[in-house]
Amino acid sequence: MRIDIITVLPELLESPLQHSIMQRAQDKGLLEVEVHQLRDYSPFKHKQVDDYQFGGGAGMVMMLEPVVRCIEHLQQQRAYDEIIYMTPDGDTLNQSIANQLSLQGNLMILCGHYKGVDERIREHFITKEISIGDYVLSGGELAAAVLVDAIGRLLPGVLNDETSALFDSFQDKLLSPPVYTRPAEYRGWQVPDILLSGQHAKIEDWRYEQALERTRKRRPDLLDNEDV
Ligand code: 6GU
């Protein structure tokens, strides 16, 4: 998968995508991420990318021209399956959206800044608008990093144990069960006996029950009626 990200703050995206699983995905050639500085596409003096809004009001708006030039420059090199705008008024990201996007080949992500982008960009270029939750961030960069991580780890071959994404919380609409590692006892705090029993079928039953119980308590909204 190829992901091109357009931003006025490329630095904010570098570190999150250069470690751990995201770095491994790129090293293995399964994910290619390129970050583009919007200012480089500004036709204006001082590389200006924002301006006052028509009609007045506080806050700057991302101008049309630099964004159009950048998007069209990228489109000349490849066809994009989606052009995504990161914005607090977009669809809230969830596992289902991440799953769908992980099946695509080429994605472009535009990070919103200031009061947002001139509405005509949204009308004429953007195919999907995504938020990462009901709170306001200073810009779309951290949200874009979250989106790329959620997608990147789903690409086949990225995770060491290929099946492990299948058992993530939310993948089957259940939260994950509790997990333990050594030591089996610490300050009298015991690991549940069943996990030390070596009885794999019983362990899987126990994990399922725990996942169900945890989901009932914490996120009953995730459970379909048939499962409860
Ligand atoms: Cl995508 N952008 C901003 N600025 N704030 C957000 C967001 C995005 N998602 C949640 N809050």
Side-chain angles (χ1 to χ4, degrees):
M1 166 175 290
R2 162 94 185 193
I3 304 180
D4 289 277
I5 307 178
I6 304 170
T7 170
V8 290
L9 288 170
E11 298 83 359
L12 274 184
L13 278 155
E14 273 156 24
S15 177
L17 302 177
Q18 280 172 12
H19 297 282
S20 181
I21 292 171
M22 289 306 104
Q23 185 58 53
R24 200 166 70 222
Q26 292 171 82
D27 290 345
K28 285 183 170 177
L30 302 168
L31 175 65
E32 189 181 5
V33 182
E34 198 164 311
V35 180
H36 306 270
Q37 168 57 269
L38 181 63
R39 283 188 199 285
D40 294 344
Y41 296 85
S42 173
F44 307 113
K45 59 181 177 190
H46 310 309
K47 301 278 174 202
Q48 185 185 356
V49 291
D50 60 319
D51 206 347
Y52 298 99
Q53 45 182 317
F54 281 128
M60 307 295 274
V61 174
M62 290 168 77
M63 305 170 84
L64 271 171
E65 290 100 319
V67 177
V68 170
R69 285 176 56 160
C70 187
I71 291 177
E72 289 185 341
H73 173 79
L74 295 176
Q75 281 178 324
Q76 275 166 19
Q77 292 158 62
R78 50 181 59 75
Y80 288 89
D81 299 302
E82 300 282 1
I83 302 182
I84 301 165
Y85 176 49
M86 302 307 301
T87 176
D89 60 5
D91 295 335
T92 307
L93 180 62
N94 58 25
Q95 193 61 52
S96 163
I97 294 175
N99 290 350
Q100 287 166 37
L101 290 173
S102 77
L103 301 174
Q104 301 294 357
N106 298 321
L107 301 178
M108 195 190 301
I109 301 176
L110 173 64
C111 300
H113 240 272
Y114 316 109
K115 278 278 166 196
V117 72
D118 188 300
E119 186 69 17
R120 289 166 289 182
I121 292 288
R122 299 169 76 156
E123 287 169 14
H124 296 287
F125 290 97
I126 299 299
T127 61
K128 217 177 236 323
E129 303 191 326
I130 295 180
S131 158
I132 62 165
D134 290 343
Y135 42 83
V136 178
L137 301 170
S138 312
E141 286 76 15
L142 299 181
V146 166
L147 177 62
V148 172
D149 187 297
I151 294 170
R153 62 193 299 287
L154 296 173
L155 301 176
V158 168
L159 296 183
N160 271 341
D161 176 355
E162 275 216 45
T163 59
S164 76
L166 297 175
F167 298 111
D168 286 345
S169 283
F170 302 112
Q171 226 22 303
D172 49 9
K173 299 213 170 218
L174 284 182
L175 301 181
S176 293
V179 293
Y180 300 86
T181 185
R182 291 186 296 175
E185 194 233 294
Y186 179 80
R187 296 187 182 174
W189 308 334
Q190 297 277 355
V191 169
D193 286 339
I194 181 74
L195 296 178
L196 311 174
S197 70
Q199 301 180 68
H200 297 295
K202 284 199 170 154
I203 290 172
E204 283 317 302
D205 288 348
W206 180 88
R207 285 182 170 149
Y208 179 71
E209 281 307 317
Q210 292 286 318
L212 207 53
E213 183 60 25
R214 185 160 276 196
T215 310
R216 274 199 202 101
K217 275 202 185 121
R218 299 182 183 201
R219 292 294 307 275
D221 56 296
L222 294 177
L223 291 170
D224 299 325
N225 288 333
E226 317 112 62
D227 295 338
V228 186

